[in-house]
Amino acid sequence: MNNFRITDHPILKIPSSRSVISFTFNGVNYNALDGDTIASALLVNGIRAIREHEESGQPRGLYCNIGHCFECRVTVNEREGQRSCITKVSNGMDVQSSKKLPTPFKKEEAQYG
C-alpha cells in the first residue's frame, strides 16, 4: 500500500491485518483493504477528484464523507449514482467516475431568424 493510509490513531482502533483486495477505477487497477469504502480506497491511493460536475464538467471530490450529500457519486459495476463514501469496495469491483451530462433543466436560447 502507500503512505496515505492512517495506520495508528489515538481514538479509533485500526485492525492490524485485513486482506488486500483489488478493484478498478476508470480502468486502472488499485489495491484496497477489505472493509474500505470506495471513497477511502480512492483517497488512500491518492485520488481526490472522483467525478465531474454534471453541467460544468469541473472535477468534484468528497464533501461530507458520511452519506448525506451526493458529491461522491460513482458508477459501480454499471450501476450509476452510488455514493462512494458509504459503499464498501469489493474484490474485482469496477468503479467509474460520473461524467458531465446534458442538463435537462437548462433552456436553450430561442433562435429567431
Side-chain angles (χ1 to χ4, degrees):
M1 307 298 307
N2 57 42
N3 343 1
F4 295 118
R5 183 171 294 281
I6 296 171
T7 56
D8 186 35
H9 192 278
I11 298 171
L12 302 175
K13 289 186 177 186
I14 299 174
S16 58
S17 64
R18 294 191 284 163
S19 301
V20 175
I21 59 175
S22 65
F23 69 104
T24 61
F25 179 66
N26 292 338
V28 178
N29 290 320
Y30 294 98
N31 288 327
L33 294 181
D34 189 34
D36 283 350
T37 63
I38 295 169
S40 67
L42 292 173
L43 286 172
V44 84
N45 280 287
I47 298 169
R48 302 291 182 261
I50 58 176
R51 72 176 186 94
E52 294 177 1
H53 186 271
E54 295 84 351
E55 188 175 329
S56 70
Q58 292 295 311
R60 308 298 280 186
L62 297 175
Y63 182 69
C64 76
N65 204 22
I66 57 173
H68 286 230
C69 74
F70 290 84
E71 285 299 309
C72 66
R73 292 180 312 244
V74 291
T75 300
V76 177
N77 297 331
E78 299 183 11
R79 189 169 173 208
E80 294 179 352
Q82 304 304 298
R83 288 176 284 179
S84 65
C85 70
I86 59 173
T87 304
K88 289 194 177 185
V89 68
S90 62
N91 199 41
M93 181 180 272
D94 178 43
V95 181
Q96 299 289 322
S97 60
S98 298
K99 302 293 183 195
K100 182 177 176 180
L101 300 170
T103 305
F105 305 110
K106 194 173 192 178
K107 292 183 180 179
E108 296 293 326
E109 291 186 31
Q111 302 241 345
Y112 299 102

